[in-house]
């Protein structure tokens, strides 16, 4: 339905080039909309087809990153101070990198139905599968709980304990995190190799 807009662009600029530029923009928008709808489903099919290979590759990647974090102990200095204007972008990037929402995808898609679930996972699955609004509500409650707990800790340290307390009592979780990555990756790799036999 966009072709009249291309005609209009050509007539207004009195140039066939403007018509073709408008057609290119219309094609790009249509392609983007189509891909936005189709790619997630195509991606899920690829995931299902290559599931074992992806799981083994992910296990090796997690092990490798854990070993790297054990060797390279320094925390990136750039992460020590994030400008306030970039905190939302930083939070988004870290949540994606840590897989915050990815943990909920198997429950949301009903992939855990074959296994015995505890009451908490069953309740989460029932809530998220109710409808899109409920999935959004679950996400909002999760974010509110995370910000509430983190906010209380941040206020307590800022208002009462101070920077001296943080520098003296800081427990470096990087090594613990790195070891847990190696262990989780090794367990996942062992399960996937055993299942492929």
């Amino acid at each position: 339905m966009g072709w009249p807009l291309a005609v209009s662009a050509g007539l207004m600029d009195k140039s066939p080039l403007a018509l073709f530029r408008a057609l290119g923009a219309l094609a790009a928008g249509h392609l983007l909309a189509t891909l936005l709808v189709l790619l997630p489903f195509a991606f899920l099919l690829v995931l299902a087809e290559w599931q074992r290979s992806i799981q083994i590759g992910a296990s090796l990647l997690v092990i490798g990153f854990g070993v790297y974090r054990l060797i390279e102990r320094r925390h990136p200095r750039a992460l020590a101070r994030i400008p306030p204007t970039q905190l939302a972008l930083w939070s988004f990037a870290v949540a994606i990198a840590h897989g915050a929402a990815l943990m909920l995808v198997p429950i949301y898609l009903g992939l855990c139905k074959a296994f015995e679930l505890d009451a908490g996972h069953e309740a989460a699955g029932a809530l998220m599968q109710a409808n899109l609004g409920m999935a959004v509500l679950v996400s909002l409650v999760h974010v509110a709980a995370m910000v509430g707990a983190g906010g209380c800790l941040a206020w307590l340290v800022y208002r009462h304990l101070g920077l001296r307390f943080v520098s003296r009592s800081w427990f470096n979780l990087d090594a613990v995190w790195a070891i847990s990555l190696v262990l989780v990756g090794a367990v996942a790799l062992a399960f996937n190799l055993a299942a492929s036999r």
Side-chain angles (χ1 to χ4, degrees), residues 141-188:
V141 169
H142 166 75
V143 169
M146 184 210 57
V147 170
C152 287
L153 287 172
W155 180 254
L156 176 69
V157 169
Y158 173 79
R159 187 74 176 141
H160 300 289
L161 301 175
L163 188 57
R164 184 169 287 155
F165 171 80
V166 173
S167 65
R168 285 185 186 161
S169 64
W170 186 256
F171 177 65
N172 186 355
L173 288 176
D174 279 349
V176 174
W177 182 52
I179 291 169
S180 71
L181 287 174
V182 171
L183 291 176
V184 166
V187 168

Side-chain angles (χ1 to χ4, degrees), residues 83-164:
T85 57
Q86 297 175 1
L87 282 176
L89 178 61
W90 176 88
S91 177
F92 172 78
V94 170
I96 292 293
H98 285 194
L102 290 176
M103 294 182 278
L104 301 175
V105 170
I107 297 170
Y108 186 72
L109 294 177
L111 299 176
C112 299
K113 289 182 180 177
F115 307 104
E116 287 292 322
L117 296 177
D118 60 67
H121 282 94
E122 284 181 11
L127 282 175
M128 287 190 294
Q129 289 177 358
N131 59 36
L132 180 61
M134 189 56 74
V136 171
L137 182 61
V138 166
S139 296
L140 289 172
V141 169
H142 166 75
V143 169
M146 184 210 57
V147 170
C152 287
L153 287 172
W155 180 254
L156 176 69
V157 169
Y158 173 79
R159 187 74 176 141
H160 300 289
L161 301 175
L163 188 57
R164 184 169 287 155

Side-chain angles (χ1 to χ4, degrees), residues 32-68:
L32 182 62
T34 305
L35 290 176
L36 188 66
V37 172
L38 293 180
L39 280 182
F41 296 105
F43 187 63
L44 286 175
L45 289 175
V46 169
L47 281 177
E49 185 178 329
W50 292 89
Q51 180 180 5
R52 183 75 56 222
S53 300
I54 291 170
Q55 287 173 337
I56 290 171
S59 300
L60 293 172
L61 185 65
V62 168
I63 292 169
F65 187 68
V67 169
Y68 169 76

